Amino acid sequence: MARFDYLEPRSLDEALRMLADGGNSTRLVAGSTDFLVRWRTGVWRPDSVVCMQHVPGLDHITWNPDDGLSIGAMATVQDIEQNGDVRSRYPALVAGATAFAGVQVRNLATVAGNVCNASPAGDTLPALLAYNAQCRIIGTGGERWLPMDEVFVAPGRTALESGEILTEIRLPPPAENTGGLYIKHSPRGAMDISAVGVASVVSLNADGTCASARIALGAVAPTPMRAYGAEGRLVGQIPDAANIAEAGRLAAQSCNPIADVRSGADYRREMVRVLTERTLSHAVATAGNPPSYDDIRRLAVQTAW
Amino acid sequence: MTTATQFKVLEQNHPRVDAYEKVTGRAAYASDVYLPGMLACKLLPSARNHARIVSIDTGEAAALPGVRAVITGTDFPDIRFGSGALRDRYVMPREVVNFVGEPIAAVAADDEATAQEAIELIKVEYEDIPSVVNPLSAMVEGAASVHPELESYEGYGFTLGHNVSTLLDADRGDVEQAFRDADVVVEDVYRSQGINQGFLEPMACVADVEPSGRLVVYASTQGPYQIRAGLAAVLEMPVSRIRIVPMELGGGFGAKLRLAFEAFPALLAMRTGRPVKLVNTREEVFTMNGPRLPVTNYVRSGVMNDGTIVAREAYTIFDVGAYLGAGPNSGIGHGIGAYRIPNFRLRSYGVYTNKIYVGSYRASGVADMTFAVESHMDHIAQQIGMDPYDLRLHNALREGDVSVSGAVVPSNGLIETLEAIKEKMEWPRQLEDGHGLGLALCEWRSGSGPSTAAISVNDDGTVSLLTGSTDISGSDTSLAAIAAEALGIPMGSVIVAKRDTDMAPYTGQSGGSRVVYSQGTAVQRAAEDTVQKLMALAAERLGVPEDALGCEDGRVYVMDNEPQGLTFAQLAAASITSRGGPIIGTAALSSMPYTPVFATQAAEVKVDRDTGQIKLLRYVQAQDVGVAINPMAVEGQLDGGVVQGIGRALTEDQQFDPDNGAVRNPSFASYLMPLAIDLPEIEDVLIRVPAEDGPFGARAVAEPPGFGPPAAIANAVYDAVGVRVKQLPLSGERVLAALNGDYDEIPFDVEALRLAEGII
């Protein structure tokens, strides 16, 4: 419970200045849901905290057919879960949002904060990876765009440089005939950190073959990760049961889970296989015909299928 | 049989007497106590699980501005105390630490942040001593010794050495012969996990020293008199110099039955002359205050082909951690379950290890025993090809049988609970693939122990009820209902006094299914005493003999001439100038007869064959409650208990580092209690076979609901997918391993234990 200076910038420029002044002993917070826990237990002891709550213009969620979905850095997980455009076009992200902690936490936590926290188990991250999201990053030297699969470096570490701020996350518009789902494996139906999370997004050609398949895995490696090998197995193929099963096996092979209080490593690997199959099957079955929000909620947290 | 219509107050739903205070947030808990000049207390946990304390340097901490006092073990009198008969611990270790997390220093400072800063400035030098974490390893000759001086401790009894703190036994009949005669012998080893009580309100207290030097402690506790005794022992003070004020209790489940951390702020208050508050964090609750520790259970039965169980052998190993915080009594008390088994040999071991000490939790150990015994029953049924329901019905205890303790079983509703579940669950039933049903029987006894009550009649005709019992799960409301029923007045006419140890007469703890049954009996008798005194006064005033009077609806009247009478208000007013003085009815008792409580529970599950995960679809319980004092409260207790049991069955698992015994998941983020979303509606059936004793025939309610879920669910999993998981929790990982055929039986060297005792 170390003391710190609490700073509330009113503009992005001011926030960047405060970050630059504070150097490495400053921490940027949005919803503070990760920060407060680690501060209270003494894991994080910053000298100052820069809170983004009063920086205007960062809490939007907008969609248009050309640019796709734009998520402002201060948009909460609850905003994502409740957004009609997200629900109709990005079901795997809605699943990640609804599987995320509980309502109280979702009301504060931001998607951008989930990215910057860079937990391998972050529930929105596999879907962001599977939708090929891009991150807009602003620093004192200007802005740059970074693809999501280059953001995560290590547990708790991103490719953001000191003094940089993630301001926007953009998801390209999904192709025709796209389906997707995220399933979180947890012993409990809510308020839990995932033992395994898998997101699959599949786009089908008119002939039923796979135009693209993106599979992302959570909590089974030091960072959230894409299962490129499994994806490659499906592209150009008919996603039938045999191909999906093979993709599941490849995804399981590609991950590198640990054993901890939640689960053993072998079980995690096996769950990657099962959840990859289940999310792929669902994505194929619902391609071009997104599931209802109630269906997503029912499927997002796997206690028993 | 008693029926609901006989009662005017009982068998009807009553909101809690403290409902307004609770829902408006006005009810005061220990952490709500703020006194002028109050300091904050923080604790330093041991970083080692077995080490000599070479030195503790508190100089820098004490010098920090805002710090008012720092204490370590040697600041307390050199006195060992214990939670039971065996005095095996210091309130704060003096020379040796025995578990990671054990508090070894405490600071009082102007605020919490300063106190915590000071804690981090304390320098401790440790010298490690060989330690042991696994109880089965601890029992082996040559294992590191947790308490090398065990035999010199006060209260030490018979053990077999090698870290065994306690060995209890129960024997009946010719066990060896019965096993030889049996058609089938079934043998299993079960293991249940560490369990945290999971109460909502962390431990909290405020200690204050009055100008006279008397110590006052505001505490979150189930046992104010027990804390008083504990404090008196460790501070070397007479109990009369201590007053405990029990505040509202935000859950306890056994964890708050005895002295916890109250001595630290107490000594700091005595050192500083200022009030000192200690409120634990959740992490401290998990790492400093005794949870339940893993239990390993070997059970073997000899069975005849017709299903009659003729012999039982059970060896139960209770890991007690660093100190015997709760005894292994349930190992013998519940080794045969709710069944008539004529020949048995039961052994129960409490074994020391270098991890957090064991504590009490909702009938300590009985849920572990029930998991083993009731899973074993289904295994027997499977071995002899009998329906699990029929096997239970065939062997169930009946009135007149002799219980494991030797007491004769009085009339009870065990068979009725079985039949109610059979009907409600439509047992036996064919289910779709992957679905299954499972049963468990639960048995307990209504809690006994010293109980007292006083009722005084106010001059508006209401009464004030005084007991020493702290309210637990709405027990104040039940006591008020008993008083109202016995006095013939409405619930609203009973005022339940807030009390402390100066004001109320001595009583036992609020725990062990004790309050409504024993304390409630004292209240009923005090009410009857009150009625008798009111009748005597009325007889005097009305000039009629007492036996000509009746008492109903807050009024004493002449039976032959009902309009002639006096209300309680009139009698109370009259009593002030009467010969006997103001009306006070009192009662006290020390113990109650053996009154069993039986329940049958059933689970319906669906098992995911790919992940091993279990979905609980239905949970039904039938319990013999005797008479439902307040049906709404009874169902609340039944539901709450079952939910705790479901957590034990499926997700809850307090884990320990295999090397140093440290708690690996000291948080509700990693210790997973079930949420509403995880639960089906719990269906309750109340069976009413009135107890021969107890208030108006009521039996205790609290403990049995939590016993059944692990076995009922494990049995349902077997029914669903044909695998028997003998370890808790029934995680997806374990069930999947069992489905894949790579589930390991738990190793247990029963021969070594038999040999050590000379049994061949």
Side-chain angles (χ1 to χ4, degrees), chain A residues 29-53:
Chain A
V29 299
S32 298
T33 53
D34 287 309
F35 172 75
L36 283 173
V37 175
R38 291 191 175 81
W39 166 72
R40 199 177 63 77
T41 52
V43 178
W44 285 349
R45 296 169 174 240
D47 291 332
S48 60
V49 169
V50 177
C51 177
M52 296 294 283
Q53 289 285 358

Side-chain angles (χ1 to χ4, degrees), chain A:
Chain A
M1 286 203 304
R3 292 173 175 85
F4 57 81
D5 290 330
Y6 178 71
L7 306 173
E8 277 189 356
R10 303 291 153 146
S11 71
L12 205 49
D13 284 345
E14 195 183 358
L16 288 167
R17 261 202 316 280
M18 286 170 170
L19 273 185
D21 292 348
N24 285 332
S25 65
T26 295
R27 205 163 260 286
L28 193 74
V29 299
S32 298
T33 53
D34 287 309
F35 172 75
L36 283 173
V37 175
R38 291 191 175 81
W39 166 72
R40 199 177 63 77
T41 52
V43 178
W44 285 349
R45 296 169 174 240
D47 291 332
S48 60
V49 169
V50 177
C51 177
M52 296 294 283
Q53 289 285 358
H54 297 279
V55 176
L58 292 177
D59 58 358
H60 67 275
I61 298 173
T62 54
W63 190 84
N64 71 62
D66 301 325
D67 301 326
L69 187 74
S70 169
I71 303 169
M74 293 306 291
T76 66
V77 176
Q78 186 77 353
D79 293 336
I80 286 290
E81 191 199 348
Q82 301 299 329
N83 186 283
D85 288 319
V86 183
R87 285 189 185 177
S88 58
R89 295 180 177 87
Y90 302 94
L93 183 58
V94 176
T98 199
F100 190 105
V103 174
Q104 291 95 329
V105 177
R106 292 203 286 273
N107 275 330
L108 285 169
T110 61
V111 180
N114 202 216
V115 171
C116 291
N117 193 50
S119 161
D123 277 314
T124 67
L125 309 184
L128 293 174
L129 282 167
Y131 285 118
N132 253 345
Q134 301 276 323
C135 292
R136 182 186 197 182
I137 294 161
I138 308 243
T140 43
E143 73 166 51
R144 61 182 176 125
W145 285 88
L146 199 62
M148 195 58 78
D149 57 3
E150 291 175 26
V151 167
F152 307 110
V153 174
R157 274 189 51 211
T158 66
L160 268 74
E161 305 286 339
S162 172
E164 286 188 323
I165 298 176
L166 169 61
T167 57
E168 181 188 350
I169 298 166
R170 209 172 275 187
L171 278 60
E176 295 271 304
N177 271 331
T178 296
L181 185 65
Y182 170 75
I183 301 179
K184 167 179 184 160
H185 181 83
S186 158
R188 191 157 79 173
M191 291 304 294
D192 196 8
I193 294 169
S194 51
V196 174
V198 177
S200 294
V201 175
V202 177
S203 303
L204 299 180
N205 293 314
D207 65 358
T209 56
C210 223
S212 78
R214 286 187 300 275
I215 302 164
L217 317 177
V220 287
T223 65
M225 59 173 280
R226 287 271 293 274
Y228 294 107
E231 294 173 2
R233 182 72 179 75
L234 291 171
V235 176
Q237 305 290 314
I238 298 282
D240 57 12
N243 283 325
I244 284 176
E246 183 56 21
R249 269 191 296 277
L250 290 168
Q253 272 172 27
S254 71
C255 67
N256 183 24
I258 56 163
D260 64 9
V261 292
R262 287 171 204 290
S263 179
D266 291 344
Y267 184 69
R268 278 200 163 96
R269 195 183 290 282
E270 175 63 7
M271 289 309 98
V272 167
R273 187 187 70 75
V274 173
L275 299 193
T276 300
E277 280 189 24
R278 288 181 179 179
T279 51
L280 281 172
S281 302
H282 179 88
V284 169
T286 59
N289 181 23
S292 71
Y293 171 63
D294 284 342
D295 279 343
I296 296 173
R297 281 191 57 148
R298 187 172 50 79
L299 298 172
V301 180
Q302 166 116 29
T303 48
W305 191 253

